[in-house]
Amino acid sequence: MTLSESTPIPRRRNQIKLILMIVLAWGPLGVAQSMYFDGWGIPVHRVNQGQLVQGLTLADFQLQPVWSPEDELSRQESLAGSASEGSSWQLILISSEACEEACEAALWQLRQIHTALGRESDRVRRALALTMSSPKVEPLTQHFPKLKITSMPPQTYRDLLPRLADTGDSSRHEVVVVDPNGNVVLSYAPAQIGKAILTDMQRLLKLSKIG
């Protein structure tokens, strides 16, 4: 074998080494980008604990204010249109009945979740949506003074049920997460009110730069 015939071999080896170095350097970055932006390689149930909601906004709930811990002007505004609410994430408990023992227990859990968010808690507000025409809210305002209370038309609630988390019973209440742009992003059944919501909120607040 002549010298001219043997010289391409080291050159090819160098090219292969260069290609391997590029793959090793940029491969993990490409995988990370696919996982972050597309959810590639991550099972859905490990990304979100709650049920993903698409194409639903807070305006679709047709909420009307009943009681607000803020000043009189904010009480006259709907939850969907309030400027102060519009820049925050929201945890909204929806109840299809009077807010009694089970509902109050859920509100207490939401308050604990809110507190557990620590310094990020200022980015989140809590609200209750009752599907009753004239809900009695006086005890709730005493027990949960920072809770905003609203009402939702019963028919609107029934129309939205198929798009919310299945509670598995007839007396329903669930929690929805609303982003600062007014999009409903996640829904939770009563059994999920607790660590599942806290885990998702911590992740959302970490990734989000809004609100």
Side-chain angles (χ1 to χ4, degrees):
M1 182 179 293
T2 65
L3 181 62
S4 61
E5 292 174 332
S6 61
T7 51
I9 294 177
R11 185 177 301 170
R12 285 198 297 270
R13 288 177 178 172
N14 289 336
Q15 289 174 341
I16 292 173
K17 288 181 181 179
L18 179 60
I19 293 172
L20 288 174
M21 290 175 63
I22 293 174
V23 170
L24 290 174
W26 292 98
L29 179 60
V31 172
Q33 287 179 328
S34 296
M35 293 174 70
Y36 182 84
F37 291 108
D38 304 323
W40 177 81
I42 303 177
V44 174
H45 68 278
R46 294 186 61 185
V47 176
N48 298 318
Q49 301 291 321
Q51 176 177 309
L52 186 64
V53 180
Q54 295 180 320
L56 192 63
T57 68
L58 192 57
D60 295 324
F61 288 171
Q62 301 180 29
L63 299 180
Q64 294 298 319
V66 175
W67 188 88
S68 171
E70 300 171 354
D71 59 25
E72 187 64 26
L73 178 61
S74 68
R75 296 185 200 185
Q76 304 304 317
E77 298 172 339
S78 68
L79 186 60
S82 171
S84 60
E85 298 287 356
S87 60
S88 302
W89 289 82
Q90 297 180 62
L91 290 171
I92 303 178
L93 175 68
I94 305 173
S95 179
S96 63
E97 56 185 13
C99 192
E100 297 177 342
E101 186 174 351
C103 174
E104 288 195 31
L107 288 175
W108 182 84
Q109 287 179 294
L110 281 188
R111 184 166 62 185
Q112 296 300 102
I113 292 168
H114 197 182
T115 301
L117 291 173
R119 61 182 182 181
E120 300 289 352
S121 62
D122 289 342
R123 300 171 61 191
V124 181
R125 293 176 181 268
R126 289 173 288 122
L128 171 65
L130 297 169
T131 61
M132 304 176 64
S133 57
S134 300
K136 295 181 179 180
V137 299
E138 287 78 9
L140 295 176
T141 59
Q142 296 175 10
H143 297 156
F144 306 97
K146 294 185 179 181
L147 179 73
K148 186 161 188 174
I149 303 175
T150 66
S151 64
M152 178 192 301
Q155 185 58 51
T156 299
Y157 178 68
R158 287 190 289 269
D159 292 341
L160 295 177
L161 279 181
R163 305 174 69 175
L164 302 177
D166 185 6
T167 65
D169 57 36
S170 57
S171 58
R172 298 177 56 107
H173 63 273
E174 50 259 306
V175 172
V176 295
V177 174
V178 183
D179 72 17
N181 294 323
N183 300 305
V184 181
V185 293
L186 292 169
S187 176
Y188 302 85
Q192 295 178 293
I193 301 176
K195 187 176 180 180
I197 298 178
L198 177 60
T199 299
D200 282 346
M201 288 303 300
Q202 288 173 329
R203 177 176 176 272
L204 286 171
L205 292 171
K206 181 179 180 180
L207 296 177
S208 174
K209 301 302 181 184
I210 59 175

